[in-house]
Amino acid sequence: MTSISTVTPANAGEPLAAWLQAAFEKAFGEAAQDTRLRVLPSTDPSFGDFQCNDAMGLAKTLRLPPRTIATRIVEALDTADAPATANIAGPGFINLAVTPGWLAGQLAALADDARFGLPDIGGGRTIIIDYSSPNVAKPMHIGHIRSTIIGNALDRLYQALGFKVIADNHLGDWGTQFGILINGFRAYADPGRLRDAPIEELERVYRESYARTEKDPEWLDACRAELVRLQQGDPDNLALWRQFIDLSLREFNRIYERLDVTFDLYRGESYYNDQLAATVALLEERGLARESEGALVVPLDDEGMPVCIVRKSDGGYNYATTDIATVLSREAEFQPDRIIYVTDERQQLHFRQFFAVCRKLGCTTRLEHVWFGLMRLPEGTFSTRQGNVIRLDALLDEAESRALAIIRESSPGMPEEQQQALARDIGIGAVKYADLSHDPQNMIVFTWDRALALDGNSGPYLQYAYARIRSLLDKYAEACPGCDPAKAPLLLQEPVERQLALQIMQYPATVVRAAENCKPSLLADHLYALSQLYSSFYQRFPILKADPAIRDSRARLCTLVARVLREGLGLLGIATPERI
Ligand code: ARG
């Protein structure tokens, strides 16, 4: 799995860059030694397929006008077996139009590569992704849902690039809320409701108990006493606390199963309890913490941030303390290269603060907070309370039932069971894609019309595109028994065929960019553009009815489009049913 992919570099322009580089060195000798020319896909196809813009940047060092530099490079190009024709535009852009033969060769190499061109940039190094991380006894809110979907896509992307990913669900399973909950539970919990809707019941109990703390000081004291008893290890309170965790996890796991999300670790905040005192002691020992109004804080003036409180005036530790202890523990146990945290935007300051504290402690792990904006959901069934608390299972149920209605209409002859399995793949895929197709940092308004649109940028649209290619290839196999499209020479004569080929070639680089920038949306955009190109190709040109050599070449191109769609959607955690 971790064999290094040598067939296709992650940037499809690299072989062209090598070609230009040789010419550059031939033309400029010594002066060219320290510069590596870069070739990137063209932003506009009318400028050719690829371009090199480096002549502009070189003008100063070479003391020549950029156009002269570009001209000399192009004149020195080795024309034997040239991969492209080059021409110069504007102040000194070198535009490259690749030859069909070169394109076909690159595509064939990609097709033959077991990793489909994905470079092994991880080389087995470890990345911890801290995602989902809902709070016990509370329903997942929209922030946790997005964290689950985005975090899982990052998990898949990094694994595909050769990293060892540890997916860690950092559950909120400790804190002052448990005193309120335990005291409230003994007074208010209803066994029937607890059986039917455990998390909602725990939440109701919590809310009721919390409300009473505000008007009944004795109740507040009793809640505090329960918390202290829990912290001191009282067996009854510990048992109740475990019960809350079990009930919550059972529900969370049902959702994870539906979303096809799995974790390597479920280390909640409580896991680090016995490391908090030592963490604070370390901060004191290093002279990083000082007293402030009874609390212990780490000043972050140099970083331009408010102090990070690591011990409250009542002696309790808080969220940041746990997170610092967690980093230390993860470093010691896993030596990760990087830890990525996925939460909503409201926690940005918290992460910046404790990252800064960790750096003061000498942590070398690259710590990264991937934050996302909120997603507004449709009003109605999902909002149990103001705004962003939703019942995710209700959202998924509705997605599946809407998908089922569409399938019943489009494939009335399909057996019921198959329709339902398909509805699951399409419904869940629609919800995931609606999230992943947006830049995480943008706010999204979710609508069913857009999520399920068969003619727009949606999960179902891409799933349909994939299934349609599969059925076309079945017809090809029938029409042409014994033909193996994988062996057909790629002819790539039409511009749209070239564009398809170029888009396919960009797949590995896109996966790398999506992972490195923690933006699965870059991959979603790529897949959508690919399927749009495919559909204009399919509408304008015959495939099965074309002359045999062209037919076979086109069938091969179709298999490659299908492969990118399947693998790419797979990296987004979206299923690709073979039949729709
Ligand atoms: N439980 C937290 C919340 O619901 C999210 C935890 C994120 N991870 C972390 N290491 N802080 O807001």
Side-chain angles (χ1 to χ4, degrees):
M1 178 63 196
T2 50
S3 72
I4 291 177
S5 172
T6 46
V7 185
T8 311
N11 170 7
E14 266 172 42
L16 300 169
W19 182 55
L20 286 191
Q21 184 75 27
F24 180 44
E25 288 174 14
K26 195 164 133 203
F28 290 92
E30 291 265 294
Q33 292 299 330
D34 298 334
T35 310
R36 288 271 146 268
L37 296 184
R38 289 185 323 144
V39 171
L40 299 169
S42 286
T43 42
D44 178 343
S46 65
F47 296 150
D49 306 315
F50 290 91
Q51 62 194 48
C52 171
N53 306 337
D54 294 333
M56 273 67 72
L58 286 164
K60 233 191 177 149
T61 28
L62 297 178
R63 296 206 198 125
L64 285 171
R67 224 183 139 96
T68 309
I69 299 170
T71 309
R72 286 209 203 154
I73 295 173
V74 168
E75 279 169 2
L77 281 169
D78 182 0
T79 49
D81 249 349
T85 54
N87 61 67
I88 297 158
F93 297 105
I94 302 175
N95 290 335
L96 301 171
V98 298
T99 66
W102 183 81
L103 200 51
Q106 293 293 309
L107 215 52
L110 184 63
D112 289 342
D113 182 18
R115 292 176 52 85
F116 206 50
L118 296 186
D120 179 6
I121 42 186
R125 282 175 300 161
T126 298
I127 291 191
I128 297 175
I129 309 185
D130 175 317
Y131 71 93
S132 194
S133 311
N135 300 318
V136 164
K138 290 189 191 161
M140 286 199 196
H141 64 60
I142 188 63
H144 302 121
I145 295 159
R146 291 205 72 191
S147 170
T148 307
I149 293 175
I150 296 170
N152 185 249
L154 296 178
D155 182 343
R156 292 168 191 264
L157 285 165
Y158 276 105
Q159 282 193 53
L161 294 171
F163 287 89
K164 178 178 182 315
V165 177
I166 300 176
D168 190 2
N169 195 338
H170 190 76
L171 299 167
D173 62 356
W174 199 252
T176 48
Q177 74 269 29
F178 285 99
I180 297 171
L181 192 57
I182 289 173
N183 202 33
F185 189 85
R186 294 208 173 101
Y188 304 123
D190 174 322
R193 293 200 213 174
L194 205 57
R195 198 174 341 99
D196 297 339
I199 296 194
E200 270 145 71
E201 177 60 0
L202 291 178
E203 220 223 345
R204 184 190 70 84
V205 165
Y206 176 81
R207 255 186 286 151
E208 212 154 308
S209 177
Y210 181 83
R212 193 160 157 195
T213 59
E214 297 200 310
K215 46 186 192 281
D216 178 352
E218 273 174 39
W219 182 263
L220 178 62
D221 287 343
C223 291
R224 286 195 178 131
E226 293 302 353
L227 179 66
V228 171
R229 287 177 55 206
L230 174 69
Q231 288 167 338
Q232 289 168 346
D234 172 83
D236 290 343
N237 280 11
L238 271 180
L240 264 187
W241 169 71
R242 289 212 182 92
Q243 188 187 345
F244 301 152
I245 295 180
D246 286 348
L247 287 172
S248 302
L249 269 181
R250 219 173 296 162
E251 291 227 348
F252 297 153
N253 282 331
R254 269 207 350 251
I255 287 172
Y256 296 141
E257 204 170 308
R258 291 182 80 174
L259 292 174
D260 191 19
V261 165
T262 51
F263 294 94
D264 302 294
L265 296 175
Y266 280 88
R267 286 194 184 161
E269 294 174 23
S270 67
Y271 180 87
Y272 304 94
N273 274 346
D274 55 7
Q275 299 166 34
L276 301 181
T279 302
V280 169
L282 184 66
L283 287 165
E284 287 186 292
E285 223 176 272
R286 299 273 179 90
L288 295 170
R290 64 165 168 79
E291 295 277 334
S292 165
E293 297 169 34
L296 194 71
V297 304
V298 179
L300 296 171
D301 304 302
D302 293 345
E303 289 77 9
M305 285 185 271
V307 297
C308 180
I309 304 174
V310 290
R311 195 179 58 216
K312 293 182 277 188
S313 53
D314 67 4
Y317 301 109
N318 49 14
Y319 190 39
T321 325
T322 308
D323 264 322
I324 297 163
T326 304
V327 172
L328 298 179
S329 160
R330 285 172 176 164
E331 277 201 341
E333 186 173 351
F334 302 112
Q335 297 87 44
D337 237 45
R338 208 166 153 184
I339 307 176
I340 297 176
Y341 300 81
V342 189
T343 80
D344 71 52
E345 60 194 4
R346 292 171 299 187
Q347 297 196 28
Q348 288 177 79
L349 179 62
H350 163 72
F351 282 97
R352 283 181 29 229
Q353 284 182 306
F354 89 77
F355 287 177
V357 176
C358 289
R359 276 192 291 273
K360 286 182 190 289
L361 280 173
C363 295
T364 49
T365 309
R366 181 168 154 201
L367 303 172
E368 211 167 334
H369 181 213
V370 173
W371 55 269
F372 48 82
L374 290 177
M375 172 155 64
R376 286 228 315 273
L377 289 150
E379 279 307 308
T381 23
F382 324 120
S383 36
T384 56
R385 240 184 343 145
Q386 341 83 353
N388 67 18
V389 174
I390 70 146
R391 293 273 320 268
L392 179 60
D393 44 358
L395 179 82
L396 298 181
D397 287 346
E398 178 151 2
E400 289 182 18
S401 70
R402 284 175 183 259
L404 187 61
I406 296 173
I407 293 161
R408 285 200 173 124
E409 214 176 281
S410 64
S411 314
M414 190 184 275
E416 171 74 19
E417 218 170 281
Q418 203 180 333
Q419 285 180 334
Q420 294 205 346
L422 208 50
R424 272 196 295 278
D425 286 345
I426 294 180
I428 303 290
V431 170
K432 287 189 179 182
Y433 192 86
D435 190 333
L436 295 172
S437 56
H438 293 87
D439 184 321
Q441 294 171 4
N442 288 347
M443 209 212 50
I444 314 179
V445 181
F446 180 97
T447 68
W448 286 114
D449 284 348
R450 234 174 297 151
L452 290 162
L454 294 180
D455 54 356
N457 189 6
S458 75
Y461 172 83
L462 294 178
Q463 289 170 318
Y464 266 95
Y466 174 77
R468 248 184 252 130
I469 301 175
R470 299 301 331 169
S471 83
L472 176 95
L473 289 169
D474 285 350
K475 287 194 194 115
Y476 171 78
E478 266 169 46
C480 186
C483 290
D484 180 2
K487 298 214 170 74
L490 284 159
L491 300 173
L492 310 176
Q493 288 161 343
E494 300 297 337
V496 68
E497 290 177 289
R498 288 171 64 85
Q499 283 177 321
L500 269 175
L502 287 164
Q503 183 75 7
I504 293 167
M505 274 174 59
Q506 290 304 323
Y507 170 74
T510 307
V511 172
V512 171
R513 261 191 317 128
E516 279 179 348
N517 295 295
C518 293
K519 287 191 195 303
S521 55
L522 296 174
L523 177 56
D525 291 344
H526 181 89
L527 301 177
Y528 181 53
L530 179 69
S531 56
Q532 280 182 307
L533 277 174
Y534 176 79
S535 99
S536 72
F537 163 63
Y538 176 80
Q539 277 161 22
R540 286 169 36 213
F541 298 98
I543 299 174
L544 299 178
K545 294 208 173 83
D547 290 342
I550 295 179
R551 174 196 64 193
D552 296 348
S553 162
R554 288 182 179 162
R556 184 167 183 195
L557 195 55
C558 290
T559 60
L560 292 171
V561 174
R563 182 152 168 208
V564 173
L565 287 176
R566 191 188 61 222
E567 301 210 0
L569 286 171
L571 293 181
L572 298 178
I574 296 174
T576 38
E578 298 287 305
R579 296 277 159 281
I580 297 191

